[in-house]
């Protein structure tokens, strides 16, 4: 029996590394990777402070990089792994990309796409949450804990 080491936890760990990179840059620690056929084709981290751009979320960075890599605007055979639940803006971008699957670590109770009544994702997109939830949530708590001091 073959064991596939490339599962949701493996790729979420890659997204967590991007989030840690954002943390080191004093950005809100959100990280993302986009995977196609078990290969990471794009990485993104939150760059809103660095770029002085409210749209420079990790998901948007990753979507743009993946589309450039593929030479196509649709991400139909791809999966996004992101440490924090996408906001409404990012869910909208994911809708337009027609991505196959979105996997996120921890919910965003204030600004997450799940706070809206109906799903903002494309009807064909599978959404999975809670992968490495504690690790993803702990990084956010540590970041904002330091900000409050």
């Amino acid at each position: 029996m073959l064991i596939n080491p490339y599962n949701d936890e493996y790729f979420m760990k890659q997204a967590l590394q991007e989030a840690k990179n954002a943390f080191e840059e004093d950005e809100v620690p959100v990280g993302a990777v986009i995977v196609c056929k078990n290969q990471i084709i794009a990485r993104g981290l939150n760059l809103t402070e660095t770029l002085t751009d409210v749209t420079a979320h990790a998901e948007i960075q990753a979507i743009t990089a993946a589309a450039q890599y593929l030479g196509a605007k649709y991400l139909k055979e791809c999966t996004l792994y992101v440490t924090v639940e996408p906001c409404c803006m990012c869910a909208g971008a994911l809708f337009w990309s027609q991505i196959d699957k979105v996997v996120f670590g921890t919910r965003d109770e204030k600004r997450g796409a799940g706070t809206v009544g109906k799903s903002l994702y494309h009807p064909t997109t599978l959404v999975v949450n809670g992968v490495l939830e504690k690790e993803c949530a702990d990084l956010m708590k540590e970041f904002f804990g330091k900000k409050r001091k």
Side-chain angles (χ1 to χ4, degrees):
M1 184 171 110
L2 290 174
I3 297 173
N4 183 1
Y6 303 111
N7 58 20
D8 287 350
E9 282 194 9
Y10 173 85
F11 289 116
M12 186 60 76
K13 284 178 184 171
Q14 302 299 309
L16 256 170
Q17 185 54 57
E18 294 300 316
K20 289 173 184 173
N21 294 344
F23 187 104
E24 295 302 317
E25 297 298 320
D26 204 31
E27 293 275 4
V28 175
V30 179
V33 296
I34 294 182
V35 174
C36 185
K37 298 175 183 140
N38 276 338
Q39 180 182 346
I40 295 172
I41 62 167
R43 294 176 178 274
L45 61 139
N46 194 24
L47 292 172
T48 57
E49 300 298 328
T50 303
L51 299 177
T52 319
D53 179 356
V54 296
T55 69
H57 290 191
E59 300 94 323
I60 301 297
Q61 304 299 314
I63 290 166
T64 300
Q68 289 174 348
Y69 176 88
L70 294 171
K73 62 184 179 181
Y74 297 121
L75 305 177
K76 291 184 179 189
E77 294 182 3
C78 299
T79 300
L80 168 80
Y81 292 88
V82 62
T83 54
V84 178
E85 178 183 13
C87 70
C88 295
M89 174 186 71
C90 292
L94 290 160
F95 176 97
W96 288 110
S97 79
Q98 297 181 25
I99 199 160
D100 269 5
K101 184 176 171 186
V102 172
V103 179
F104 66 86
T106 188
R107 287 210 173 274
D108 181 343
E109 301 294 342
K110 292 181 182 170
R111 296 184 181 90
T115 61
V116 178
K118 68 184 194 91
S119 176
L120 298 176
Y121 301 97
H122 195 274
T124 61
T125 300
L126 173 66
V127 179
V128 176
N129 70 64
V131 176
L132 299 183
E133 183 174 14
K134 182 179 178 347
E135 294 92 327
C136 294
D138 286 351
L139 190 61
M140 292 292 280
K141 288 174 189 163
E142 181 184 351
F143 179 80
F144 286 109
K146 282 185 172 183
K147 287 287 180 196
R148 289 186 190 102
K149 286 183 181 174

